[in-house]
Amino acid sequence: MTDTVPALPSLQTIALSREGRLLRITLNRPETMNAVNLQLHDELAEALWFAQGDTDSDVLVLTGAGRAFSAGGDLDHIEHNARNPHLFDHEARMAKRIVSTLLDIDKVVVCRLNGHAVGLGATLALLCDVIFAAENAKIGDPHVGLGLVAGDGGAVIWAQRIGLTRAKEYLLTGDLLPASKAAEIGLINHAVPLDELDARVDAFCQKLLKGAMVAIRATKVLTNLELKRLATALMDAGIAYESVSVRSADHLEGIQALKEKRAPNFTGR
């Protein structure tokens, strides 16, 4: 009798697929450059929770459909939360769950950064274990450009990847980095031509899948222990500070400026 592999969850904004012992998780709102709305936020937590407990995979690939990895928060969704800030409490719970699950997964999570990764999209990518990026991609966390605190994981992971001084420079300005620069300073692992991205990711995943999986998975767990300690220490405060900034006049001005494609006029309120 042949064992059957359990069916994958059917989600609207996340595509899940198997390739042997590899599980691919694809952010699937290509028409919006995979911008994160309420449904994608919730379904991402569900997909990662499934991946964590999935006994039929050893390696995960996180990527985006279309020409972007993720453009960050969906602007309509961000504005809706800004005008109804009590709704952010749900976002906070989901953000903590996403970060904690990514850090708890004992399988290697490879990021196939097929295009721009912005805001929460950047956080998702940086919480992966190894990142291969298309060299035309850009990555950055411009929370402050919308009058928001980078409280959903950026303050946890950026400094661990590139050190505190560089992390402050990019988090306090919100500047985006070309993939080549990100690789140069160690924010990501590799920047490669787009037409080579799949081959490079596939080769790395196959190398892992042929390895001593018990040792690989335990080593991943060990290297994440400090990240988990930091996340535990920082996430509650980060979400609380971001929740305050969601209610600020500067946040509404940042949204309006982005909609009108102009520079914001922040007042510090």
Side-chain angles (χ1 to χ4, degrees), residues 171-210:
L171 290 176
L172 297 179
T173 62
D175 290 344
L176 303 185
L177 294 81
S180 57
K181 176 67 174 179
E184 179 186 326
I185 66 175
L187 185 67
I188 65 173
N189 297 82
H190 304 282
V192 303
L194 179 59
D195 61 3
E196 296 179 15
L197 182 61
D198 285 336
R200 291 289 299 274
V201 171
D202 291 348
F204 182 74
C205 290
Q206 288 305 310
K207 183 175 184 177
L208 291 172
L209 288 166
K210 292 175 182 176

Side-chain angles (χ1 to χ4, degrees), residues 106-147:
D106 65 348
K107 305 163 190 177
V108 179
V109 185
V110 179
C111 179
R112 174 187 175 271
L113 197 78
N114 54 302
H116 294 351
V118 180
L120 178 58
T123 298
L124 293 174
L126 296 178
L127 286 170
C128 295
D129 301 305
V130 179
I131 305 166
F132 290 83
E135 60 187 8
N136 63 321
K138 292 185 177 181
I139 185 168
D141 193 335
H143 270 70
V144 294
L146 279 180

Side-chain angles (χ1 to χ4, degrees), residues 201-269:
V201 171
D202 291 348
F204 182 74
C205 290
Q206 288 305 310
K207 183 175 184 177
L208 291 172
L209 288 166
K210 292 175 182 176
M213 197 52 62
V214 171
I216 289 171
R217 288 170 72 154
T219 300
K220 186 264 174 74
V221 170
L222 183 60
T223 56
N224 264 18
L225 287 178
E226 180 65 7
L227 281 176
K228 289 172 66 174
R229 185 189 69 80
L230 283 171
T232 300
L234 296 180
M235 280 301 294
D236 283 340
I239 292 297
Y241 280 122
E242 187 167 351
S243 181
V244 171
S245 65
V246 162
R247 292 161 167 81
S248 68
D250 274 351
H251 179 40
L252 286 171
E253 166 60 14
I255 294 169
Q256 194 63 32
L258 187 58
K259 290 172 66 177
E260 296 174 3
K261 298 181 179 179
R262 60 171 173 82
N265 181 25
F266 292 135
T267 61
R269 292 182 295 162

